[in-house]
Amino acid sequence: MALAFEQGPIRPPSEAHSLLIRLTRNCPWNRCAFCNAYKGTTFSVRTVEDIKKDIDTIAEMSRLIARVSQGNDTDGLQSKLYESGEFQLYHVANWLASGGKTVFLQDGNSMLLKTAALLEILAYMKEKLPTVERITSYARSDTLLRKSVDELAQLKQAGISRVHVGLESGCDEVLKFMDKGVTAQQHIDAGKRVKESGISLSEYILLGLGGRKWAKEHPFDTARVLSAINPDYIRLRTLAIVENTPLYTKMQQGAWEEQPDANIVEEEKILIENLNGIESRLLSDHSMNLLGEINGNLPHDKPAMLQVIDRFLALPETEKNNFILGKRWGLYNKLNDLQDPERHARVENTLQKLQSQGTLEATIANLKYQMVRV
Ligand code: SF4
C-alpha cells in the first residue's frame, strides 16, 4: 500500500524547510474580510489517532528514504516511495536533507486543540521523529487567551517553540471593519501571555489594511500594540485585495478605499517610528512588500530602516512610479536597483506607455493580484 499522510495548503514562508503535519483542517474563524485562504471550506479537528498515524507514516518514509540514499534499494524501495506521490516524497526528503529539525503544525489555528491532546501529539512526535528540534504553529489571539500561561509553558516544554499570530492591525476600528474577531487589547493580552510562557512569538502586520480612512490610525495603533507586547518577530505583509473576499465587495460598494503603494510606505514610516521600548526583529520577508530591505533588530536598526523609507519618500513622483512598477513587475528588488540603467530604461518605457493609456494603476493592481495568486 502507498505511504501517504495528510497535508494542508498553507504554511508561513519562514517554514519553507519545515515538515508539515496537519492537526486541524482550515480555519475555525474564516471571517476576516481580506482573507481568502480557506473561503468555502469547513473547519475540522483531526483525531489524535489519525495524526499519530501520519507521524508513523512520516517516520516510515524517513527510514525508507535513508535506506535508498545509502544505496540499499534491494527490494524496490524507490518505486514504493514513488507510489507515495512525488510531492510527499520530496517534501519529506527535502525536510531530511535540511536536517529534519523543524515542524510546522497545520492548518490555520491548531492551538485550538485541547492542551492534553496537543501534549500527547507532541510527545509522540518527539518519540517517532527524534531529530525534531523546533515545532511551530499558527494561532489566533483569542485562542491563545483560552490557554493559561501554565498550559502554554507546558506546550513550550513539550516542544512548541514558536507561534505565528496574524495581528494584522492594532486599531480597533480596522479590526472591527475587517471582522478579525479580536480586539487590540486581546492581541496585547495574548501576546504577553505567550511571551511569559517562553514560547517565541511572531506577529504578522498587514500594511494597507486601514485603507485611506484609517491610514494614520492603523500604523499608529499597531505600533502601540506591538510596543506593549514586545514580540520576538514582527513580520510585515502588504495587503493585496483578492476578488472573492468580503473586502473586495466592500471596496466595490465604496465602503473602503485602497491605499496606493506610495501611501503604504508612509504608513510603514509611522509604524516603525512609533515602535518604542522593544527588542523585536522586524522582517519584511514577503515579495509583496515594496521595500524588501526593511529588516533589522529594534531598537538598533530603527534609524537605518527609517532612512530607507525616507529615501523612497524623497524620490520625485516619476521615480517613485518607476520603482513601484519595476518592483511589482519583478525587475527590482531593492531601491538601489533604480541605479541600474538597463532595467530603469525598460521600466520607464513601459511606465510612459501605461501612463499615456491611463492604465498604470490598473496594471499595478493586476501585478499585485498575480503575486498573491502564486
Ligand atoms: S483567522 Fe487567519 S486564516 Fe482565518 S480568516 Fe482570519 S486571516 Fe484568514
Side-chain angles (χ1 to χ4, degrees):
M1 204 171 78
L3 289 169
F5 61 99
E6 186 169 328
Q7 283 184 307
I10 294 170
R11 55 145 177 84
S14 57
E15 303 292 342
H17 300 293
S18 297
L19 175 69
L20 306 179
I21 298 183
R22 194 177 210 183
L23 269 54
T24 56
R25 300 184 185 98
N26 311 311
C27 168
W29 179 249
N30 213 3
R31 282 167 54 175
C32 300
F34 54 87
C35 173
N36 75 337
Y38 301 103
K39 288 280 179 282
T41 64
T42 308
F43 178 76
S44 62
V45 174
R46 299 188 68 215
T47 65
V48 172
E49 197 178 68
D50 282 351
I51 296 162
K52 282 183 172 178
K53 275 188 203 152
D54 278 359
I55 294 169
D56 287 338
T57 302
I58 293 161
E60 173 70 358
M61 283 175 99
S62 303
R63 274 192 295 275
L64 297 180
I65 289 167
R67 279 179 62 187
V68 171
S69 64
Q70 285 159 9
N72 184 6
D73 190 13
T74 47
D75 42 6
L77 288 181
Q78 192 140 9
S79 48
K80 184 175 179 186
L81 283 170
Y82 274 105
E83 279 171 27
S84 310
E86 274 189 28
F87 178 77
Q88 293 200 335
L89 169 63
Y90 285 120
H91 177 65
V92 175
N94 283 337
W95 170 68
L96 290 171
S98 60
K101 291 181 182 162
T102 60
V103 170
F104 177 72
L105 306 177
Q106 293 180 302
D107 284 352
N109 189 21
S110 287
M111 294 294 277
L112 192 82
L113 258 70
K114 289 196 167 36
T115 302
L118 279 169
L119 291 172
E120 190 177 338
I121 294 161
L122 292 166
Y124 197 73
M125 210 178 285
K126 276 200 163 175
E127 180 195 331
K128 300 289 174 177
L129 307 172
T131 54
V132 172
E133 291 175 2
R134 194 191 79 181
I135 303 169
T136 66
S137 172
Y138 280 133
R140 280 176 53 80
S141 288
D142 60 330
T143 302
L144 292 166
L145 284 174
R146 291 188 210 168
K147 298 203 187 296
S148 64
V149 174
D150 184 51
E151 282 178 288
L152 291 170
Q154 283 179 50
L155 291 169
K156 154 87 180 160
Q157 189 65 28
I160 295 280
S161 332
R162 178 174 303 154
V163 288
H164 298 274
V165 177
L167 189 142
E168 330 296 5
S169 178
C171 172
D172 276 323
E173 286 93 337
V174 175
L175 290 168
K176 193 168 174 209
F177 186 83
M178 295 294 166
D179 204 3
K180 183 71 194 170
V182 180
T183 64
Q185 190 57 48
Q186 283 175 308
H187 274 321
I188 293 173
D189 294 343
K192 283 182 162 177
R193 200 172 285 194
V194 171
K195 289 281 295 178
E196 202 181 330
S197 75
I199 295 176
S200 169
L201 177 62
S202 188
E203 298 274 17
Y204 289 71
I205 307 309
L206 207 38
L207 296 170
L209 195 63
R212 286 192 189 257
K213 185 171 179 184
W214 294 292
K216 290 201 168 50
E217 293 84 348
H218 168 53
F220 187 79
D221 290 350
T222 303
R224 179 183 66 82
V225 167
L226 289 168
S227 298
I229 298 171
N230 189 17
D232 298 274
Y233 294 91
I234 298 170
R235 295 182 188 273
L236 301 182
R237 300 285 177 268
T238 302
L239 177 69
I241 297 144
V242 185
E243 267 179 31
N244 60 342
T245 55
L247 182 58
Y248 182 80
T249 310
K250 284 172 192 259
M251 194 174 71
Q252 296 298 99
Q253 292 165 345
W256 186 90
E257 220 183 325
E258 188 177 11
Q259 281 272 65
D261 274 335
N263 293 16
I264 289 179
V265 177
E266 284 171 13
E267 264 185 32
E268 201 170 0
K269 181 173 177 172
I270 298 175
L271 174 78
I272 295 174
E273 270 178 346
N274 288 284
L275 289 172
N276 292 316
I278 58 175
E279 296 177 335
S280 313
R281 178 151 183 78
L282 189 143
L283 294 165
S284 199
D285 55 345
H286 197 280
S287 56
M288 186 62 74
N289 297 337
L290 199 60
L291 300 174
E293 56 266 68
I294 304 284
N295 292 294
N297 294 321
L298 292 164
H300 180 266
D301 299 322
K302 186 169 170 177
M305 291 191 275
L306 289 172
Q307 212 175 28
V308 174
I309 290 175
D310 286 338
R311 263 182 68 205
F312 173 84
L313 293 175
L315 289 173
E317 209 59 32
T318 52
E319 286 301 276
K320 274 186 193 150
N321 284 334
N322 184 299
F323 182 73
I324 291 167
L325 179 62
K327 180 74 201 293
R328 297 302 178 214
W329 194 358
L331 284 183
Y332 296 150
N333 187 26
K334 296 182 173 179
L335 266 184
N336 282 348
D337 295 339
L338 279 173
Q339 316 299 326
D340 181 332
E342 205 178 304
R343 278 184 281 175
H344 188 277
R346 206 171 145 201
V347 177
E348 193 58 33
N349 198 15
T350 308
L351 179 66
Q352 284 178 14
K353 272 189 210 152
L354 293 172
Q355 278 176 326
S356 66
Q357 292 162 359
T359 54
L360 178 62
E361 275 188 25
T363 304
I364 288 173
N366 192 39
L367 287 168
K368 279 170 86 173
Y369 178 60
Q370 296 300 330
M371 285 172 87
V372 281
R373 289 181 68 206
V374 294

